Amino acid sequence: MIDRTACEVKVHSQPDGERYEMVATVPFGKTVTLPDPVGRELDTEPLKNWVR
């Protein structure tokens, strides 16, 4: 989830059927790891261009 108001990215993972067990939150400008099956790192620096 990209929160332009808070200038942060939240990645929810490890669903257990009712909720997500893990939530990683990073501010714009940091790198966040997208878990498998994506398995990639996402540079959030460009997201700074989308906020006022």
Side-chain angles (χ1 to χ4, degrees), residues 2 27-31 42-51:
I2 298 171
F28 289 180
K30 300 273 185 167
T31 300
L42 176 66
D43 177 15
T44 65
E45 183 71 28
L47 297 174
K48 290 179 178 181
N49 297 325
W50 295 91
V51 295

Side-chain angles (χ1 to χ4, degrees), residues 1-3 7-8 11-15 17 21 24-28 33 35 38-40 42 49-50:
M1 179 179 86
I2 298 171
D3 186 338
C7 296
E8 63 187 19
V11 177
H12 295 76
S13 62
Q14 298 183 5
E21 297 283 325
T25 304
V26 299
F28 289 180
T33 301
V38 178
R40 295 233 153 174
L42 176 66
N49 297 325
W50 295 91

